[in-house]
Amino acid sequence: MNLEYSTEQTLLADSVERLLSQRRATDRRAIWAACAELGLLALPFPEDMGGLAGGNVEAQIVMEAVGRHLADVPYIGCAVGPGAILGLCPETLRLRELVAAIAEGSRTACLAHEEEHARYRLAHVETRAERTASGFVLNGKKTGIATIDGVDELIVSARLSGAAGDETGIALFLVPADLPGVRMRTFPAFDGTTLAIVGLSDVALPPDALLASDKGALAALDRAEAASLSAVCGEAVGILEAMLDETVAYLKTRQQFGGPIGRFQALQHRAAEMYVALEQARSMALLAAVSVDLPDREERWRMLAAAKVQINASLRFVGQQAVQLHGGIGVTEECRVGRCFKRTAMIERAFGDTFHHLAVLDRLGGLEGRLPRTAPAQANGRAA
Amino acid sequence: MDLSFSHEEIAFRDEVRAFIRDNLPADIRAKAGRVAHFDKADVVAWHRILDARGWAASHWPREHGGPGFSPVQRYIFMEEMLRAPTPEPLSFNINMVGPVVYTFGSDAQKARFLSRIRSLDWWFCQGFSEPGAGSDLAALRTSARREGDEYIVNGQKIWTSTAHVADWMFCLVRTDAAAKKQEGISFLLIDMRTPGITVRPIITIDGAHHTNEVFLDDVRVPVANRIGAENRGWDYAKFLLGNERTGIARVGLSQGRVSRAVSLACGIEGLDGPLTDDHGFRRRVIELEIELKALEITALRIIDRQRRRNDGRPDPASSVLKLRGAETQQASAQLLLDVAGRLGAPLDADLAALGGGFAEAQGAAAIHLGARAATIYGGSSEIQKNIIAKGILGL
């Protein structure tokens, strides 16, 4: 057991903190360039493709700072997710060039996997890929893509065979966003982050666009989902910290009835409960980070599901209390806790919400495997 | 970052597990998990078995007769005993008075008391709370007036668990009525056979006689039985209450209750088939499992921090363990009784005569009722929140 950051991890935490505490939340591209300069964009990618092969703890360190500063950095969608996918793909010259370009910030890539009817089921892919004489043709629609404006490359999941929900038949493709037939629409989510929907109609790809297929593709998607879930747990911890700090500071300064409202025990106890929720979330984020690479799929998803359920509960409780204890100012656009609260609500539904992960745990007989199984066990869900 | 135990720690866990399996007497094993409190005889019997192995005082340093466990080993050891479950080494002796004696006692006191505290030859109870001094412990009024080389002690203690079977009581008394309330308190060891001590039972809602009122009426206590300096008792009490807090989450105890609830549920049919298929039941199990996992990791994080800091000071974050630990003990006890349904009704009856289902559910009511005290004793949940608010958040 060793729960201490290494020297390198401490340095990383310090430098990310420094970077994000200096930047205004609005200049997205500038933050992205600064992230590249710091080496953060190379971090999630495998070493043989020119990445830094950072681990899940490193990704959480970055995301914790992102959360703490409520930075608009699509690090999970454009770095953690692609890094996890490419880590399981055979190394090629094209991928090495891509990773080098991503690392220096000159090109961007993101994962386009989610679909309208998937509802967190990993193998629910309706988008079709057909083999043709000159490669592949893709048709379908991808949703909920966490991305950056003007993204260059999409890592798209599509089905070569089978029906939505089948664990076999899925393939992953590298799709330049400017290809004919790729139509991307971005929209702001309620928390201010950018999401995209991509329509694919008769998108023609050369044979070397195929990154992985079947078992390999599913394993890569599973790994990306696991790594992303772990990373977003780190972001959650950062936001929880920020909300607790802001709230405690407010309790100490806001004057009512002739003194700071923090002298009232009812409010002190609420703040104490927020602290408990933060500590429990910190513990579960740690569990998530060390569970991403567990070889047993069921064991891995038991731990990750438990982590996400607990962290969602902490986000909801702390978010609601932070707004409440700020009073009227807490529900205004100018107040930071209000923005934090919106972000928590988006994180709750990232990489599986509470309904989903409780269902995962139910199928697996609970976290400790004590409960008799009632349904055929499929880690992280598939179509029933 | 690594959450898993080392090979040595896992080997140690297996050793403890095997020791419990091979040495826990069958009659105690049969009661395990079915009683809210073990009898004195059971606690003593198991304690002696542990002591023979050198494990009774699991977190005492080697020079005072402890096994010299690392913080992680201590945690593993306690959790294995809770999970089995076995009677726990008597907290009053091992966690509370023992460390006070070896830290603040004189050589003569160490020679007289330590090995008897460790071996449980002398069973201690805790004379802290009074009718007017509960959460506000420093408001205590039991007085000790010096007369030659004796104190004359007068007053009343309450919630004195096991006083009726105890040989000794460690007791906070007021030796200076004029001083600020924390500064006039001394820490005495009182022989329970001393004339003037009256123990009156308090029957708790679980039907048990576990706790008591203790009346002290001109009780003569040798000054030689005072630990440390006069009027410094509050410091020793704070040390005692902050000592070894990482085990207080008692995750293993709650895990054992959840396991028992699930196995009980396996044999129960409801409106829609087996209770273990019931969505609401399964969800409560899963949510408890998640909470317990988080608590377990929080305990390990605090141990890890202490190991690195190594100054022995209590970590205010351990209030999280007491707070959530007590809540999960209650939630798991409640789950057990909820599964038992009306078969959980008997508190104390001839279960063999009532039938098998009642025997299966034995103890569910007593455990549930007994668990309500968990958020009250040892610093109530409200006090823990005060500690967090003041000690950590600076409110």
Side-chain angles (χ1 to χ4, degrees):
Chain A
M1 193 179 85
N2 172 27
L3 307 181
E4 198 177 8
Y5 281 165
S6 67
T7 315
E8 292 78 16
Q9 288 168 338
T10 308
L11 282 172
L12 174 66
D14 291 348
S15 51
V16 181
E17 175 62 28
R18 218 172 310 124
L19 167 72
L20 293 177
S21 57
Q22 288 162 359
R23 300 279 164 171
R24 292 258 54 82
T26 43
D27 47 1
R28 262 180 223 163
R29 275 281 167 185
I31 297 180
W32 198 250
C35 286
E37 212 168 294
L38 212 54
L40 302 186
L41 303 187
L43 205 55
F45 291 91
E47 227 158 5
D48 61 0
M49 292 183 195
L52 292 171
N56 301 298
V57 173
E58 283 77 5
Q60 280 192 352
I61 288 172
V62 175
M63 289 310 296
E64 200 177 312
V66 167
R68 198 159 42 236
H69 296 285
L70 215 56
D72 186 5
V73 182
Y75 189 71
I76 295 177
C78 296
V80 175
I85 295 264
L86 295 189
L88 290 188
C89 294
E91 178 248 320
T92 61
L93 180 64
R94 188 175 169 209
L95 289 183
R96 277 221 313 273
E97 283 172 0
L98 175 62
V99 170
I102 291 172
E104 65 174 32
S106 58
R107 283 168 82 193
T108 50
C110 70
L111 185 57
H113 169 58
E114 192 177 308
E115 297 192 4
E116 197 175 345
H117 304 294
R119 185 76 186 186
Y120 312 120
R121 291 170 301 176
L122 196 64
H124 189 98
V125 175
E126 293 179 37
T127 298
R128 310 295 307 189
E130 266 158 89
R131 283 182 202 276
T132 61
S134 55
F136 301 92
V137 170
L138 266 51
N139 278 289
K141 186 173 144 192
K142 294 289 174 181
T143 59
I145 304 163
T147 190
I148 194 160
D149 302 319
V151 68
D152 301 300
E153 303 270 354
L154 304 170
I155 299 169
V156 177
S157 57
R159 189 165 279 291
L160 281 165
S161 64
D166 286 355
E167 296 217 326
T168 55
I170 299 171
L172 290 167
F173 298 91
L174 193 60
V175 180
D178 57 1
L179 274 193
V182 177
R183 210 178 62 249
M184 186 172 224
R185 233 195 72 202
T186 61
F187 65 95
F190 63 74
D191 66 337
T193 56
T194 302
L195 291 180
I197 294 173
V198 171
L200 303 157
S201 43
D202 294 327
V203 177
L205 296 172
D208 71 350
L210 180 70
L211 292 172
S213 57
D214 266 333
K215 275 207 178 88
L218 189 74
L221 285 169
D222 187 290
R223 186 160 182 259
E225 186 82 356
S228 301
L229 186 154
S230 163
V232 90
C233 287
E235 182 178 6
V237 167
I239 294 185
L240 288 167
E241 242 177 43
M243 290 191 295
L244 178 63
D245 288 351
E246 299 254 341
T247 304
V248 169
Y250 187 76
L251 292 177
K252 287 176 183 171
T253 48
R254 170 69 175 163
Q255 305 282 318
Q256 286 288 272
F257 305 104
I261 58 174
R263 73 190 190 283
F264 298 123
Q265 196 183 38
L267 307 192
Q268 289 177 356
H269 282 191
R270 206 84 64 79
E273 284 158 13
M274 292 166 74
Y275 173 80
V276 173
L278 164 63
E279 285 303 304
Q280 296 287 72
R282 227 188 257 289
S283 294
M284 290 310 249
L286 181 58
L287 178 70
V290 299
S291 301
V292 171
D293 294 320
L294 285 176
D296 183 88
R297 189 179 173 193
E298 291 194 352
E299 195 57 14
R300 176 167 73 241
W301 281 102
R302 269 199 187 106
M303 300 301 159
L304 292 169
K308 191 64 179 7
V309 169
Q310 197 291 324
I311 281 175
N312 280 355
S314 284
L315 285 170
R316 188 162 290 194
F317 177 76
V318 174
Q320 290 175 350
Q321 298 312 320
V323 169
Q324 177 68 22
L325 294 184
H326 273 77
I329 195 79
V331 294
T332 62
E333 277 288 337
E334 71 168 287
C335 182
R336 220 171 90 93
V337 291
R339 296 201 300 274
C340 286
F341 179 72
K342 290 195 278 187
R343 185 78 199 112
T344 64
M346 274 305 287
I347 293 177
E348 272 191 53
R349 59 214 72 233
F351 314 108
D353 62 5
T354 299
F355 285 138
H356 174 77
H357 286 300
L358 282 174
V360 168
L361 283 165
D362 196 309
R363 285 183 170 207
L364 297 174
L367 178 53
E368 308 291 337
R370 289 188 175 97
L371 292 165
R373 297 189 181 199
T374 52
Q378 286 293 344
N380 198 26
R382 50 168 284 179
Chain B
M1 280 291 170
D2 184 8
L3 252 181
S4 49
F5 292 132
S6 68
H7 290 303
E8 292 76 24
E9 286 158 350
I10 287 170
F12 173 74
R13 188 193 64 196
D14 293 344
E15 189 188 348
V16 174
R17 222 169 255 187
F19 183 83
I20 293 171
R21 189 192 58 221
D22 298 341
N23 293 283
L24 185 65
D27 58 324
I28 298 180
R29 188 185 301 275
K31 291 183 209 170
R34 293 167 177 267
V35 291
H37 302 286
F38 284 99
D39 297 336
K40 178 176 180 177
D42 296 334
V43 175
V44 171
W46 178 238
H47 195 108
R48 298 254 155 91
I49 292 168
L50 287 177
D51 197 39
R53 179 68 184 78
W55 285 353
S58 63
H59 61 274
W60 292 17
R62 217 183 275 277
E63 71 253 41
H64 300 306
F69 287 163
S70 72
V72 175
Q73 283 180 315
R74 282 181 226 158
Y75 179 81
I76 290 172
F77 179 76
M78 280 307 296
E79 284 298 318
E80 285 304 316
M81 285 201 296
L82 289 167
R83 199 175 281 255
T86 72
E88 291 167 61
L90 188 67
S91 182
F92 302 126
N93 280 41
I94 301 304
N95 293 353
M96 298 181 175
V97 75
V100 169
V101 171
Y102 67 64
T103 308
F104 303 107
S106 66
D107 287 343
Q109 287 168 336
K110 286 183 212 170
R112 182 171 178 217
F113 286 102
L114 268 187
S115 73
R116 291 179 169 114
I117 289 171
R118 199 204 66 235
S119 65
L120 212 47
D121 283 350
W122 285 347
W123 181 297
F124 271 81
C125 62
Q126 180 189 35
F128 276 22
S129 296
E130 295 182 8
S135 289
D136 182 12
L137 183 58
L140 62 93
R141 280 171 28 199
T142 294
S143 69
R145 177 168 45 85
R146 183 92 176 243
E147 214 179 270
D149 55 3
E150 286 181 327
Y151 287 108
I152 314 296
V153 180
N154 279 288
Q156 184 193 347
K157 295 291 174 181
I158 196 168
W159 316 123
T160 321
S161 295
T162 74
H164 56 301
V165 297
D167 305 299
W168 286 80
M169 171 165 66
F170 57 92
C171 193
L172 293 180
V173 294
R174 187 159 299 285
T175 36
D176 183 352
K180 203 179 133 211
K181 67 180 183 177
Q182 284 87 355
E183 286 164 11
I185 293 170
S186 297
F187 193 104
L188 300 185
L189 306 184
I190 302 178
D191 186 334
M192 290 298 280
R193 292 168 310 181
T194 319
I197 297 179
T198 310
V199 177
R200 249 189 237 162
I202 297 174
I203 306 302
T204 40
I205 51 174
D206 54 354
H209 173 203
H210 181 67
T211 198
N212 304 277
E213 293 177 284
V214 177
F215 296 87
L216 300 126
D217 194 6
D218 285 333
V219 176
R220 294 182 166 269
V221 180
V223 170
N225 288 0
R226 187 191 71 221
I227 302 290
E230 195 171 71
N231 297 330
R232 294 292 302 278
W234 186 250
D235 295 342
Y236 313 141
K238 274 201 306 192
F239 166 85
L240 174 155
L241 293 171
N243 196 40
E244 194 55 23
R245 303 281 280 174
T246 46
I248 53 174
R250 296 157 71 88
V251 171
L253 183 72
S254 300
Q255 291 283 18
R257 286 176 184 166
V258 176
S259 289
R260 195 174 160 217
V262 172
S263 48
L264 191 58
C266 282
I268 293 175
E269 291 269 334
L271 190 59
D272 287 321
L275 190 53
T276 47
D277 287 356
D278 180 87
H279 184 69
F281 169 73
R282 293 175 73 87
R283 188 134 297 184
R284 271 177 69 187
V285 170
I286 290 167
E287 283 172 345
L288 251 170
E289 288 177 334
I290 294 170
E291 191 65 28
L292 288 169
K293 176 59 92 178
L295 201 52
E296 179 190 341
I297 300 171
T298 302
L300 293 174
R301 284 174 47 227
I302 291 174
I303 289 170
D304 186 66
R305 202 151 62 201
Q306 280 174 348
R307 182 165 64 174
R308 276 182 275 128
R309 218 176 42 181
N310 203 22
D311 61 358
R313 277 190 304 122
D315 189 332
S318 55
S319 286
V320 174
L321 304 180
K322 171 64 171 67
L323 195 58
R324 275 287 201 270
E327 286 167 2
T328 46
Q329 285 161 45
Q330 292 176 339
S332 56
Q334 179 82 65
L335 180 73
L336 184 59
L337 181 63
D338 289 351
V339 170
R342 290 177 68 80
L343 296 174
L347 193 55
D348 187 17
D350 182 1
L351 295 169
L354 295 176
F358 287 101
E360 290 286 310
Q362 185 190 2
I367 289 170
H368 162 66
L369 295 168
R372 298 317 302 174
T375 46
I376 299 166
Y377 60 62
S380 69
S381 292
E382 288 69 26
I383 291 294
Q384 303 305 328
K385 289 178 193 173
N386 286 352
I387 292 171
I388 293 169
K390 292 190 167 58
I392 297 175
L393 304 178
L395 286 168

